[in-house]
Amino acid sequence: DVKVTQSSRYLVKRTGEKVFLECVQDMDHENMFWYRQDPGLGLRLIYFSYDVKMKEKGDIPEGYSVSREKKERFSLILESASTNQTSMYLCASSPLGVTSGSTHGTQYFGPGTRLLVL
Amino acid sequence: AQSVTQLDSHVSVSEGTPVLLRCNYSSSYSPSLFWYVQHPNKGLQLLLKYTSAATLVKGINGFEAEFKKSETSFHLTKPSAHMSDAAEYFCVVTRGLTGGGNKLTFGTGTQLKVEL
């Protein structure tokens, strides 16, 4: 089974702190994603990476950065946390994009990190 | 651009009655569509997917969805709800391949409540 793990389930930080959220996958997937989930808004893509050291902005990258130094690990960084970044953060991974087949469109999600910024 | 609209933010059914969760899509090309489910305090899980093969797609736990191009819909159904079906359900469309990634666009979610 694919396993995607996130370093913390719950996190409380103060405004202005630098925050690191870590995600590790064990299936040698090329693609990794960071989303935030807010009530009534669904999941919104922050950043994704399709290879080591490669990254691409998603829909809401402002206030975030990412790092992918190893294939299995994808980190989300909040340079200076703000209260509007209080949210559930979800990491996902998937095999390299294909147009069809059993893995098409399938992403494997971690359990999420609920971040509260005070 | 590809998008999905989930028509109900909350749906409540009695156990043993049918479930209908509605989703409309907008796409400039033939889309791939998915339903994901998120149980409380658990990660999202793929329920089923449509990728231009059969228009009626069967998923896990007795759920199915029908792709209707004329109505631009991909509604999720189940003949008989079970208490364990209580969860949040997301309708999802692929954006296509960019930079090798298979990015997804999620709907805003439908919270399904199942009552005794």
Side-chain angles (χ1 to χ4, degrees):
Chain A
D1 273 356
V2 176
K3 192 159 186 184
V4 180
T5 56
Q6 297 183 229
S7 50
S8 306
R9 292 299 301 272
Y10 301 95
L11 212 50
V12 180
K13 295 292 181 182
R14 297 249 174 232
T15 303
E17 279 192 77
K18 191 168 186 176
V19 181
F20 292 86
L21 303 182
E22 303 284 337
C23 175
V24 177
Q25 52 96 0
D26 66 357
M27 280 300 291
D28 202 37
H29 286 166
E30 288 79 6
N31 300 325
M32 296 188 75
F33 307 83
W34 274 107
Y35 296 90
R36 64 176 283 174
Q37 181 179 9
D38 299 289
L41 297 178
L43 276 71
R44 293 178 291 167
L45 183 64
I46 304 172
Y47 266 98
F48 84 101
S49 167
Y50 51 91
D51 201 354
V52 175
K53 297 192 186 296
M54 304 301 288
K55 61 186 179 185
E56 191 169 311
K57 292 180 180 178
D59 301 316
I60 51 165
E62 296 78 18
Y64 303 94
S65 62
V66 290
S67 172
R68 193 162 179 204
E69 297 296 320
K70 293 185 178 181
K71 190 175 185 179
E72 68 271 18
R73 188 179 297 270
F74 192 35
S75 303
L76 180 70
I77 304 155
L78 286 65
E79 296 289 344
S80 177
S82 63
T83 55
N84 63 12
Q85 293 178 310
T86 291
S87 187
M88 169 72 90
Y89 290 88
L90 296 171
C91 176
S93 73
S94 74
L96 192 63
V98 292
T99 56
S100 64
S102 62
T103 61
H104 175 55
T106 304
Q107 292 185 9
Y108 299 87
F109 284 83
T113 296
R114 193 169 292 279
L115 173 66
L116 173 62
V117 182
L118 299 173
Chain B
Q2 285 62 251
S3 66
V4 288
T5 302
Q6 292 184 245
L7 300 172
D8 307 292
S9 59
H10 293 82
V11 170
S12 184
V13 300
S14 299
E15 192 175 34
T17 64
V19 175
L20 170 65
L21 305 184
R22 299 182 296 163
C23 174
N24 287 350
Y25 71 89
S26 172
S27 178
S28 54
Y29 56 86
S30 185
S32 294
L33 292 158
F34 310 80
W35 279 96
Y36 276 77
V37 60
Q38 184 179 36
H39 290 277
N41 300 314
K42 291 189 177 179
L44 274 88
Q45 179 184 20
L46 180 66
L47 199 56
L48 51 80
K49 63 181 172 183
Y50 164 76
T51 55
S52 77
T55 56
L56 182 62
V57 183
K58 295 188 185 298
I60 59 174
N61 300 332
F63 283 93
E64 61 182 37
E66 187 171 8
F67 175 75
K68 292 187 176 180
K69 188 175 181 179
S70 60
E71 299 175 11
T72 61
S73 69
F74 190 58
H75 301 333
L76 182 69
T77 59
K78 183 173 180 178
S80 176
H82 191 272
M83 294 296 290
S84 61
D85 295 328
E88 189 160 22
Y89 293 80
F90 294 93
C91 184
V92 181
V93 64
T94 53
R95 303 189 199 189
L97 299 177
T98 304
N102 214 347
K103 291 191 287 188
L104 304 176
T105 296
F106 284 77
T108 52
T110 298
Q111 192 73 43
L112 176 63
K113 184 178 179 183
V114 182
E115 298 172 318
L116 287 170

